[in-house]
Amino acid sequence: MTTRVLYLLGSAAPPVLNMADIIRTAQGEGWDVCLGLTPTAARWLEPTLSELEELTGRSVRSQHRLPSEADPWPPADVAVVAPATFNVINQWALGITDKFIVGFAAEAIGKGIPLVAMPCVNRALASHPQFEQSVTTLRGAGVRVLYGEGGFVPNEPGAGRPSAYPWSAALREAQHVVSNCSEARDMLDDTL
């Protein structure tokens, strides 16, 4: 059995500080993990970036590569955008791709790469009308957005609990999506 490739794409919300543990968990579940971060999340994790690169065996990406550069990562079987901040969710839905992880995720929709997103926003930000529109837009594009029951439930501003961020739900959904895609490919191959 080949190892499946998980792109873990995180933005600057407190749960990103637990990224090494999440990578280890994903690897323990059989994933080959590639880590991408927003520039701010990369700055937050700067003291541990070399550890994260050693852990994944690949460069941690936070910038778009130059056109002349080869892609340093293998193709993704699935991408998990988590934690996904208010900015990332809205930029992604609106097609504003100045950040590497948002650019990848936006293009992945058109390439048919399975996508799971799990926001990390407080109730005040979640009440902004654009946020709900963005979640609806992403879901309409086929992105599995884990928001609400069974995913991330917003808390009051300043009352965040990074250790309670439901990473296991995101990894479980990634596994589910990839398994369903594999089954669909197998069925298609059988009919050809």
Side-chain angles (χ1 to χ4, degrees), residues 29-189:
E29 295 174 4
W31 292 105
D32 179 4
V33 181
C34 299
L35 178 61
L37 301 167
T38 61
T40 302
R43 194 172 79 234
W44 285 14
L45 292 173
E46 192 169 351
T48 63
L49 287 179
S50 59
E51 174 195 343
L52 294 169
E53 289 181 345
E54 187 175 316
L55 190 57
T56 62
R58 296 197 170 72
S59 60
V60 174
R61 296 180 63 189
S62 61
Q63 301 290 330
H64 292 285
R65 63 183 168 85
L66 296 175
S68 61
E69 293 176 327
D71 192 333
W73 291 354
D77 289 298
V78 64
V80 172
V81 183
T85 61
F86 178 80
N87 284 344
V88 164
I89 292 291
N90 289 324
Q91 288 177 333
W92 185 7
L94 295 169
I96 301 168
T97 61
D98 60 330
K99 293 177 180 76
F100 162 69
I101 71 166
V102 178
F104 174 83
E107 190 173 31
I109 291 170
K111 288 182 172 181
I113 298 169
L115 292 156
V116 175
M118 192 159 55
C120 186
V121 298
N122 63 41
R123 284 193 185 124
L125 289 171
S127 70
H128 190 286
Q130 183 58 52
F131 183 75
E132 192 61 44
Q133 286 180 310
S134 294
V135 168
T136 300
T137 296
L138 293 174
R139 285 179 172 155
V143 178
R144 304 293 289 259
V145 182
L146 304 179
Y147 177 67
E149 274 312 305
F152 179 77
V153 177
N155 48 275
E156 292 301 322
R161 299 172 315 281
S163 62
Y165 189 71
W167 282 109
S168 59
L171 294 177
R172 192 171 42 252
E173 189 64 23
Q175 183 62 47
H176 176 74
V177 168
V178 169
S179 295
N180 284 348
C181 287
S182 294
E183 288 173 17
R185 276 193 300 273
D186 291 345
M187 288 174 53
L188 182 60
D189 288 345

